Each structure stands twice: as structure tokens, then as C-alpha cells.
Amino acid sequence: MATFKEFRNNVKPNWCPGCGDFSVQAAIQRAAANVGLEPENLAVISGIGCSGRISGYINSYGFHGIHGRSLPIAQGVKMANRDLTVLASGGDGDGFAIGMGHTIHAIRRNIDITYIVMDNQIYGLTKGQTSPRSAAGFKTKSTPQGSIEQAISPMEMALTAGATFVAQSFSTDLKDLTALIEAGINHKGFSLINVFSPCVTYNKVNTYDWFKENLTKLSTVEGYDPNNRELAMQTLMRHNGLVTGLIYQNTERQSYQELVHGYSETPLSQADLQLDQAHFDKLVAEFM
Amino acid sequence: MINQLSWKVGGQQGEGIESTGEIFSIALNRLGYYLYGYRHFSSRIKGGHTNNKIRVSTTEVRSISDDLDILVAFDQETIDLNYKELHSHGVIMADSKFDPKQPADTQAAMYAVPFTEIATQLGTSLMKNMVAIGATSAVLDLDITVFVEVVQEIFGRKGQQVVDKNMEAIKAGFDYMKDQLGAGVETMQLEKADGNKRLFMIGNDAIALGAIAGGCRFMAAYPITPASEIMEYLIKKLPALGGTVIQTEDEIAACTMAIGANYAGVRTITASAGPGLSLKMEAIGLSGITETPLVIVDTQRGGPSTGLPTKQEQSDLMAMIYGTHGEIPKIVLAPSTVEEAFYDTAEAFNLAEEYQCPVIVLSDLQLSLGKQTVEPLDFSKVEIRRGKLVQGEVPATENGAYFKRYEVTADGVSPRVIPGMKNGIHHVTGVEHDETGKPSESAANRIAQMDKRFRKVENIRFNTPVYKNAPHEDADVLIVGFNSTRGAIEEAMLRLQNDGLKVNHAQIRLIHPFPTDEVLPLVRSAKKVVVVENNATGQLANIMKMNVGHAEKIVKHVKYDGNPFLPHEVYTKVKELF
């Protein structure tokens, strides 16, 4: 069984010193080892932006696609090989701006993959513009007077879209984050994990200290039940979305793969491509 | 006796016009006639004029005809819009219900037939279409028992009574019209067909069937006219093979999901029309730079933007060749018949894996939706070739280094592994990268990787890059087309040859990389080159000029009114030159 070190490669990340993404990288490597994966059975599919580079920093199959499209690529990979563990990842711009349509539909489709968003509430790689996660009033290069748009609440949005696994974490909570990624991988269906991953260069508001002050761990909320969707929504609204931990899980709904009519029990990528003549003749006869 | 016939049925959309044509065609196809049908329809569900023009012949036909023998009209609009196609001894059969008026300037005979009235008397006005089939059979002197089998198949699940009623409706229409024609009136008696079994299908059926035969087991797609039949067919048939179709949220998801599945080792297709292809472009570039096999179908329709969504056009040519930003190797195939659509789609999966690049199968609305008789498909011609996909175990690399997925090789093609393979780990990125997939901005690496990617397609092996019918070493004219213009060109060629002109014909099947070596000698040996295409700017003509030169000889013959070329339009254009 592979150790977390075996999920490391020799590529030096191009992230700024102190970037929250380093911890996410470490948490993915630990979670992969903890659930018993071998590197070749993990595929990390990422979007574009600082965080999108993560697929190149893990010793596994990695696909760094185009901006906003990590989810459809990841779903395609999983449909092709149901035995692979597929992680999609990217930033808040990737998942909640350009790729928002895919995020909602991946949630409702419920293909068994895990989506980790590194949420820094800013566009970092393009050097400091507003993000759909930036709070109203947030001043950036593209919103010099302060953002006048409402920030997206991804966890509430996920619940309304029919998510079966919704979690949120903070990049410094390596242990909690690792455990949530493991739970996400083990969940049979689509898992969304939003990780507050501060940008130390461009976001001077939502800093490590700011999160420490403002985040509430759900484990400290009395009577919290992650199987109760209504309670999850209420708690998110009460805390303005600033909670960490497993927010909601539905273990009853079957994943997409389990519901697809006729879908191969073995990886489709191993299917024999040669159609037999009798099968072909049967198909052709329908056109006579 | 006649050996071919052109029949058109028209009315309001949603009135069963399509199924009337369908029943008529299937029955005749089974008798061994060759059929070619083209539907005129609008982008709405109910209402608006629609018609189905069907050509019946004892020999192969691949084009709609210039004129019309029989027009079946369920409203006055059908007569007014279509009577000019009728030749002097043509026949109009119009539903007496709408009190049809015969246009003054036609010599065609008109019969007001109580289609609706007869059907209503038999139980339901819905059967007016069957009455019309019966009446048509009387004009053609066709034995109506040929419809028994088809009616049974279509209405059998509704019970024997419905089957019987429909056959009664056909018979009533037949008897009524026989009476009207009388003993003295000449019928358009059709010559007997050969009785051979052939297929009757649309191009999209052939594309979907070709995909299955070619090993495709997954599709990601978004509905659009005129491509949706491909996904609708595959969702019915792939589950039996363990595969499926996902209807995605948009075209971008369709294309990127297809890339994901292809990357992970499953032959996957996506299909759309122009608007969808525009959305897929960034992803096609990703397939190009990541060298991920990808098969995309573009069923062209009238553009730009929403354009003429239900009409014929061939205006995506340049976009399919050059549409992505940056430069990638790409293969663009353009089948010109339904048979070719089958073989080329199957082959597209081989090319995509052998050259590890996007392969676009270009079709057009006329080819994709025109329903026609197709000679039996030879499954033994379909091969599965997976190129440099590593089979079996991947040897361990030194010190666990990443697999050289983008190794610079002599032919430009690198060994390919798929996720799950031990020792195959590598990185894939749309960023320029080195041999292991690691991002690299080095100038030397950039040149090495760009050159390697383009080297792959320098010597494409494709069985028939150009369909040629070129009997003349010195031709007066070479007519060139792509996709569905083939039928109209072939018929025009026959007429031109009868007039004494030396005509060669080339239908380009491998659009990109352009088969210059095949086309240049044909251009050189012709006095004039007429390029026939359904677009406004002469895109294929321009591509020819870029690749083979001889601009002085090349004459554009374009049509962009939404309708397919008719044989006489090609004939007339060539005649003008001589």
C-alpha cells in the first residue's frame, strides 16, 4: 500500500510562499494514502489558475485542462473507468464563475467523483481581480470602488442543487481537511469540498487570521446533524456560510453509475471494441 | 412505364406529413426501389409549411430531383409553394376539405380528393395520410398489398383493428382515385424494381452505426438540429455494449467530457452543429495540444449564429479547419454519401488514436437528414486500430520518473498510456509541456513539441481522400464538391457528357490536411474547375486555391439560400462557361 510520500513528485509548485494551496496538496496526498490508493489508480483533474496547477504536483495521473472545465473532464474520466478514484480541483473562479454551470450539473448528476475547490475569494494568477466569492464592497483591481455584486454561497447553492455530499474546510486544518477528503472519496456519489485557501499576495481581507476569527467548526455546534438538509441550510445561513466540517451527506441516493441503464460493471476502458458480426447484423436489420 | 418518379407530400407541421412519406418510402424500398427523401421543415413543433420530397428510382439516386411528378397537398399553401416544380404531365392530389384552387399557370392535372372525408368516415381524420398513400398508389398503378407489412409494423402495437382501419383507408384512397382516373387516363406506372434488400436510413443513422462499429462506447452531447439523431440512436444501442450517452448541460461540457473519457481510454464521440462547434473550439484545442484522441461530428446547417437551423448549408468548412486559437494538428473528414458516413465515422476513431488528435467528421443537413436507400454495409471493412496505445504492462521508468507521454519521435506520435496503468504516470496539460507533460516555456522545447505534433499529420493515411470519377485525361471541366453535393454533381455530369463535354468529378473526402497530391493533377488536366458548395464565400474554392493554386481556372458556384443544389443548377453553371 502506498504511503503519502509516494503521492509526492519532484515538481516544485509555483505557488507563493504561504499559499493555502500547499496544505490542500498535502491533504490530498495523505487522504489518497489513507484510503489505500496506489498512485496509478488516482486521477486528479484540475482547472486553470494557481490552484489548477495542483494536478501537476501530485504523483498520480493528472490532467490540467481548460478554465472552468475540470468537472466535465473528470466526469468523462470516471465514466470511462469506474475503478479509478477521480478528484477534480480548481479555484473559486474556476468552479463558481466560468465553470458554475458544470458545478451545478455535476452536483445533480451525482457521478462518483470528489471536487475540491480552493477558495481564496480573489483571482490570483491574473493578479488580483474580483471573484464571485468576493464579498460585496471588496476592492480589487477590477472593482476599484468595491464589488457591488453579491457573493455566491456555494454550500447553500450545492444543497439546493441536490448535492449528496457537501463539506467545507480551512487549509490550515490539515487533519480535518484530510479526513473530509477521505470521506468524500469514500462517498458513493458527487462530493463537493470547499476549502478556504487564503491568497497571501492579493487578498488582504480574507487572511488566515480573518478565517480563524470568523470560522465555526460544525463539530462545536450543538445538535448539528449532517444528514439533516434543512438544518444544514439553516446553519449555513446563520453563520453566513462560514462553517467547516461535513455540512451534509445523503447516503441513500445512488450515484449516477449505479443508476445508468446497462452500464458496464467493469471499467468501460477495458471493453472489447470489436463488435461481433451477429450484433452488427441485428443493428443493420432495423434499417430494412 | 417510368423508371423514376418524384413525389412530394406537404401540409402543416405536426399533421403527420413525415410519417406519410415514411410509410410510402419504406414499402417502396422493400420492393427494391432506390429512394432519396429530403424534408423541408421549420424550427417549430406544430404549424408552418412542411413537405417531404421523395424520389423513387430503379437505379441509384443521391439527389433530390429538379422537378416533380406528384404533389399531395393537405393545404393550399402546399400547392402555392410547390406547384412550379411540377412538370406538364404532373398530378396534384389535394384534400377536397380546403377547396383547393388550381394555379392558372400550370398544366399539371389537379384532383380534389376527399382525403379527410374518407378518413373521417372510416373512423378518424388522422388516417387522411393513409388515404393519400392509397390515392398515390392508384396513380402509380401500384398493388396496395405492398403496404400491409409496413402498416402492421407501425400500427401493430395499437391492435389489429387499427391496422385493418389503416389498410382500409389506403384501399379507399386507391379505389377513389382509380375511379377518378378512369380507364382512359394514363397512369405513371413504375417499372418493376429488382427486389433486392437494401437499407433505408439517414446519414445520422450511418454516423451513429459507424461509431458503434468503430468501437465507440460513450457519447457526451447536447441536443441540436440536425445532429440529435446520433445521440438518440446511441442511447438506445450503447447500453447493450456496456456504454451510454450523457446529455450534458452544454456543448462545452459535452466536448470536455468526451476528452476526459478518451483520455481514460474509451472511444468517445460528441456531435453537434455549427453553434455547438463554436462552443467546443477551446476544448478541441485542448485535445490538440494534449494529444488526446477525440472524434467530433459537425452536421452543418445554415449559419451564422442560429442562422437557418433547419436548412442546408456547408459554411463551417474554414471554422472546422482553423477554428481553434493557436495551431494544432487536426483531421477533417467529409463523407459524401451515407455509406461513406458509416465507414468514415468508424475510421475516424482509428485516426484519432493513431494520430492522437481531434478528428472532425463533417456532414451537412442534407446528408445527415436525407433519408435514402443504402447498399448493404460491409462490416468486414471496419477495423479497430489503436495506434501507439501501450498494450500490456508498461516497463518501469528509471527512479520512478514520469512516463514520456510526449516523447519526441520520428513520426511525431508518442506512446500513449491511460490512467490506471502502472508505471504510466505522467502529466497532461494544455500548457506547453515537455516530454513527460511538465509545463515548460523553454524555446527549444516549444519548437520540439510543436514540430512533433505537426509531424504526426504530415503523412495521413486515409483510404480514399478524394472520391474521383475522372475518365478524361484532358477534361473541359473538373467539378469539385464535398459532402452531399455529390448527387447533384453526378447527375449534372451525366447531362453535360450527353452534351459532349468532357467532365471529371472530384468529391473531397479528406478536407484537412488537404490531399493536394490527389487534387492537383485533376486541376492541371482541366480547362476549368467549378467548385460547387452551399456557402456564400466559396470556402472550398478558397482552400483549393491555397493548396493547389490555379486560381485562374477556379470558378465558384455557391448557393446559400438554405436549399440543396439541384442537378440543373450545376448543369446550367457549367454550360455558361462553354
Side-chain angles (χ1 to χ4, degrees):
Chain A
M1 215 161 64
T3 66
F4 75 90
K5 285 182 183 165
E6 286 168 66
F7 289 91
R8 287 181 181 165
N9 62 16
N10 58 4
V11 183
K12 188 174 175 291
N14 60 2
W15 296 322
C16 305
C19 176
D21 295 352
F22 284 104
S23 306
V24 179
Q25 177 198 13
I28 290 173
Q29 288 161 336
R30 282 162 196 266
N34 292 351
V35 298
L37 286 177
E38 295 298 329
E40 65 269 18
N41 294 326
L42 173 65
V44 180
I45 317 299
S46 61
I48 298 298
C50 294
S51 56
R53 289 295 184 108
I54 198 162
S55 58
Y57 306 150
I58 292 167
N59 187 44
S60 71
Y61 279 91
F63 196 117
H64 179 226
I66 42 181
H67 195 24
R69 319 301 170 200
S70 67
L71 283 175
I73 296 173
Q75 292 169 87
V77 172
K78 185 69 180 181
M79 289 304 292
N81 187 342
R82 63 191 303 167
D83 285 358
L84 288 175
T85 293
V86 179
L87 299 185
S89 59
D92 44 315
D94 211 71
F96 304 138
I98 190 167
M100 182 53 128
H102 306 310
T103 303
I104 289 177
H105 290 282
I107 289 170
R108 53 177 281 269
R109 193 171 288 128
N110 203 34
I111 289 179
D112 185 11
I113 63 174
T114 301
Y115 183 34
I116 301 165
V117 181
M118 284 158 265
D119 180 1
N120 58 11
Q121 289 114 317
I122 188 99
Y123 277 54
L125 197 57
T126 49
K127 302 195 173 8
Q129 297 84 14
T130 190
S131 135
R133 288 284 295 129
S134 301
F138 189 66
K139 284 188 180 173
T140 68
K141 283 183 188 163
S142 59
T143 52
Q145 307 297 318
S147 172
I148 52 172
E149 295 176 22
Q150 180 66 38
I152 277 167
S153 307
M155 302 290 93
E156 292 167 41
M157 182 275 297
L159 288 177
T160 59
T164 56
F165 185 103
V166 184
Q168 192 157 255
S169 192
F170 180 33
S171 67
T172 56
D173 294 341
L174 187 58
K175 206 175 139 201
D176 289 358
L177 176 57
T178 304
L180 284 174
I181 296 173
E182 286 173 41
I185 291 172
N186 289 327
H187 175 72
K188 301 280 175 230
F190 185 81
S191 320
L192 172 63
I193 305 170
N194 191 56
V195 186
F196 295 115
S197 180
C199 175
V200 293
T201 305
Y202 290 107
N203 193 334
K204 304 298 185 190
V205 176
N206 310 106
T207 60
Y208 285 101
D209 287 341
W210 186 89
F211 281 112
K212 273 176 201 149
E213 265 171 49
N214 289 285
L215 287 176
T216 300
K217 284 193 179 197
L218 286 173
S219 54
T220 66
V221 176
E222 206 185 318
Y224 192 76
D225 173 9
N227 299 124
N228 183 335
R229 188 159 169 250
E230 201 179 331
L231 181 63
M233 192 62 104
Q234 275 177 5
T235 309
L236 283 167
M237 291 173 87
R238 192 171 303 142
H239 293 269
N240 197 24
L242 292 167
V243 298
T244 57
L246 177 59
I247 295 168
Y248 178 69
Q249 185 171 17
N250 176 343
T251 52
E252 281 162 25
R253 190 175 148 205
Q254 287 179 294
S255 73
Y256 190 89
Q257 280 92 342
E258 290 167 294
L259 294 170
V260 179
H261 165 64
Y263 185 53
S264 175
E265 297 283 330
T266 53
L268 200 48
S269 57
Q270 290 165 15
D272 181 9
L273 301 188
Q274 190 65 51
L275 199 65
D276 64 68
Q277 181 76 44
H279 195 130
F280 181 75
D281 291 343
K282 204 176 117 208
L283 293 173
V284 163
E286 292 175 14
F287 294 105
M288 287 189 183
Chain B
M1 289 282 244
I2 54 174
N3 65 6
Q4 69 164 287
L5 167 94
S6 191
W7 181 82
K8 185 183 269 192
V9 55
Q12 292 289 299
Q13 232 159 253
E15 273 194 320
I17 301 303
E18 206 181 322
S19 58
T20 314
E22 184 86 0
I23 292 167
F24 180 68
S25 309
I26 293 174
L28 290 176
N29 187 67
R30 286 185 187 169
L31 292 176
Y33 291 102
Y34 288 87
L35 287 109
Y36 189 93
Y38 185 76
R39 272 194 310 134
H40 169 101
F41 64 109
S42 304
S43 189
R44 57 194 280 184
I45 297 166
K46 296 256 182 199
H49 174 68
T50 184
N51 69 60
N52 198 346
K53 187 174 183 181
I54 294 162
R55 197 165 175 195
V56 185
S57 173
T58 52
T59 55
E60 208 162 39
V61 275
R62 287 206 184 90
S63 166
I64 50 177
S65 56
D66 292 320
D67 52 15
L68 190 60
D69 297 291
I70 300 174
L71 176 64
V72 175
F74 285 105
D75 57 13
Q76 187 64 38
E77 194 184 4
T78 298
I79 299 177
D80 296 344
L81 288 173
N82 299 289
Y83 79 92
K84 289 206 164 127
E85 289 177 33
L86 284 159
H87 51 65
S88 53
H89 58 277
V91 171
I92 303 171
M93 284 183 285
D95 197 341
S96 58
K97 187 190 167 193
F98 65 86
D99 191 16
K101 316 242 176 338
Q102 183 166 20
D105 57 339
T106 181
Q107 289 176 278
M110 191 179 87
Y111 298 89
V113 185
F115 294 138
T116 303
E117 197 188 317
I118 293 174
T120 308
Q121 280 166 8
L122 286 169
T124 166
S125 64
L126 290 173
M127 295 191 301
K128 64 186 178 184
N129 300 305
M130 311 309 285
V131 180
I133 288 175
T136 299
S137 305
V139 178
L140 303 180
D141 200 20
L142 206 64
D143 181 351
I144 58 166
T145 55
V146 304
F147 295 105
V148 171
E149 196 180 72
V150 186
V151 168
Q152 181 72 44
E153 282 166 30
I154 291 177
F155 299 106
R157 62 189 168 85
K158 293 182 179 170
Q160 192 55 42
Q161 204 191 343
V162 176
V163 173
D164 293 345
K165 281 282 175 202
N166 276 281
M167 277 313 297
E168 251 180 78
I170 292 177
K171 183 164 188 316
F174 182 88
D175 291 345
Y176 182 90
M177 201 58 203
K178 266 279 181 246
D179 275 355
Q180 293 294 306
L181 293 168
V185 179
E186 203 183 335
T187 61
M188 299 183 187
Q189 197 177 17
L190 265 175
E191 261 177 37
K192 276 238 174 324
D194 61 13
N196 285 347
K197 288 264 181 216
R198 295 185 187 88
L199 310 177
F200 184 53
M201 65 206 301
I202 60 173
N204 282 348
D205 293 329
I207 289 169
L209 191 62
I212 289 184
C216 172
R217 295 296 176 262
F218 183 50
M219 179 182 199
Y222 188 82
I224 191 168
T225 303
S228 299
E229 294 79 10
I230 301 168
M231 70 186 292
E232 289 164 6
Y233 182 81
L234 290 177
I235 191 58
K236 278 189 277 184
K237 302 301 177 192
L238 282 179
L241 294 158
T244 192
V245 175
I246 292 186
Q247 180 178 326
T248 52
E249 55 273 24
D250 59 32
E251 304 284 4
I252 298 171
C255 200
T256 46
M257 195 179 282
I259 288 171
N262 274 300
Y263 158 68
V266 172
R267 287 189 164 189
T268 303
I269 196 169
T270 186
S272 190
L277 263 292
S278 291
L279 289 172
K280 290 178 199 290
M281 282 300 166
E282 189 189 14
I284 292 172
L286 177 71
S287 157
I289 192 170
T290 62
E291 308 194 40
T292 308
L294 177 64
V295 175
I296 311 128
V297 177
D298 176 24
T299 58
Q300 299 171 91
R301 66 184 209 187
S305 186
T306 307
L308 292 169
T310 61
K311 301 285 178 260
Q312 162 70 2
E313 202 164 277
Q314 302 180 313
S315 55
D316 296 351
L317 202 57
M318 288 293 187
M320 291 311 102
I321 300 172
Y322 300 111
T324 52
H325 64 273
E327 298 163 298
I328 56 162
K330 198 193 272 174
I331 298 169
V332 182
L333 306 177
S336 63
T337 63
V338 172
E339 289 90 336
E340 288 175 9
F342 168 78
Y343 296 115
D344 290 1
T345 307
E347 181 65 6
F349 289 93
N350 292 329
L351 298 177
E353 287 206 286
E354 285 179 322
Y355 299 99
Q356 300 177 10
C357 72
V359 178
I360 295 175
V361 178
L362 195 62
S363 177
D364 57 30
L365 185 137
Q366 187 186 356
L367 176 62
S368 273
L369 298 187
K371 197 156 185 176
Q372 54 196 290
T373 301
V374 175
E375 294 294 347
L377 300 169
D378 184 357
F379 183 53
S380 70
K381 279 194 196 164
V382 176
E383 297 176 328
I384 306 282
R385 305 187 310 271
R386 307 204 67 178
K388 290 194 188 173
L389 177 66
V390 175
Q391 306 289 342
E393 288 192 8
V394 185
T397 52
E398 240 175 86
N399 304 322
Y402 270 22
F403 180 84
K404 286 191 179 174
R405 169 70 185 90
Y406 302 105
E407 189 181 349
V408 176
T409 58
D411 64 2
V413 184
S414 315
R416 177 169 155 249
V417 290
I418 57 172
M421 286 183 173
K422 196 171 165 65
N423 302 321
I425 286 178
H426 62 276
H427 191 48
V428 175
T429 174
V431 175
E432 187 58 273
H433 44 263
D434 67 13
E435 290 186 312
T436 65
K438 188 181 165 191
S440 167
E441 289 178 352
S442 134
N445 177 75
R446 165 68 169 181
I447 294 167
Q449 287 293 322
M450 280 292 273
D451 289 353
K452 156 203 157 24
R453 287 194 291 267
F454 280 98
R455 208 151 57 231
K456 295 191 293 188
V457 292
E458 270 170 14
N459 297 300
I460 286 280
R461 291 178 308 277
F462 180 64
N463 52 14
T464 316
V466 181
Y467 162 79
K468 280 179 281 197
N469 179 10
H472 306 287
E473 280 180 24
D474 286 306
D476 293 315
V477 64
L478 167 69
I479 309 178
V480 183
F482 70 104
N483 282 147
S484 66
T485 53
R486 176 155 155 187
I489 295 173
E490 283 175 336
E491 289 187 37
M493 182 173 171
L494 284 177
R495 288 184 219 175
L496 290 162
Q497 282 174 326
N498 283 341
D499 290 356
L501 274 177
K502 289 192 278 183
V503 185
N504 283 342
H505 172 201
Q507 203 75 4
I508 312 294
R509 290 179 57 188
L510 176 63
I511 297 280
H512 187 79
F514 193 81
T516 304
D517 293 349
E518 296 252 347
V519 179
L520 187 56
L522 292 171
V523 171
R524 277 199 186 121
S525 64
K527 290 193 186 79
K528 286 279 177 199
V529 177
V530 176
V531 185
V532 178
E533 49 190 318
N534 275 123
N535 58 57
T537 54
Q539 297 185 25
L540 181 61
N542 289 336
I543 290 167
M544 300 255 304
K545 288 178 192 173
M546 276 170 59
N547 288 284
V548 300
H550 291 284
E552 77 289 351
K553 289 186 185 179
I554 294 178
V555 179
K556 291 178 180 177
H557 186 23
V558 298
K559 182 177 182 183
Y560 45 94
D561 65 355
N563 297 305
F565 271 99
L566 296 171
H568 82 87
E569 292 168 334
V570 178
Y571 171 83
T572 308
K573 180 73 179 185
V574 174
K575 287 294 274 189
E576 282 169 10
L577 301 173
F578 293 93

